[in-house]
Amino acid sequence: MREQQPVPSATRVFWCERVTYRTMEADEIAEVSRHMSLDPAEAVRFIRLNVRALAADLPPMERHRALSWVDGGGCVGAIGSLHRGEPCGFSLSHRGAWIEWTVRPQLSFHVYGAADVAPPTPCEGC
């Protein structure tokens, strides 16, 4: 009789990315940071914390738009998108630069018996 092979398990993870472009034209990348989250609310929290940290330095109109997204329906809609398996994001201008945050749902597979595969790490700073 053949031994039955274990079935790989799939877990939904959320890849968070922050891209800062040098100018408003988004033509040259200045900085990129990536994190992984294990649930939609944690992924959106990554964006909320980043945006809130920049809010005080934003011009009044951009600050209003940013805080409306952070404290209003924008982040709620983003969490809903992630629950549906759709990506979400937010962007703003800051000191002549353009910053974009995106979160994309992905499937992460664990193959039983693959001892050299490290488990996913949660989103840093969340």
Side-chain angles (χ1 to χ4, degrees), residues 41-63:
E42 183 182 321
V44 172
R45 185 169 182 256
F46 164 74
I47 299 173
R48 291 179 73 203
L49 290 172
N50 278 247
V51 171
R52 195 174 292 286
L54 297 174
D57 293 337
L58 297 173
M61 292 292 287
E62 194 73 346
R63 182 182 316 117

Side-chain angles (χ1 to χ4, degrees), residues 67-118:
L67 293 177
S68 292
W69 188 89
V70 165
D71 296 328
C75 63
V76 173
I79 293 171
S81 293
L82 294 173
H83 274 290
R84 292 188 304 270
E86 301 167 357
C88 70
F90 183 73
S91 57
L92 58 79
S93 61
H94 179 255
R95 296 184 176 173
W98 185 252
I99 305 172
E100 295 178 348
W101 291 268
T102 56
V103 180
R104 292 178 178 84
Q106 303 286 320
L107 288 178
S108 173
F109 293 93
H110 177 77
V111 179
Y112 296 100
D116 57 341
V117 176

Side-chain angles (χ1 to χ4, degrees), residues 4-24:
Q4 188 173 0
Q5 296 294 320
V7 177
S9 67
T11 303
R12 184 174 273 184
V13 296
F14 301 89
W15 292 106
C16 312
E17 184 174 70
R18 174 183 166 163
V19 179
T20 303
Y21 296 92
R22 292 194 191 285
T23 66
M24 293 286 293

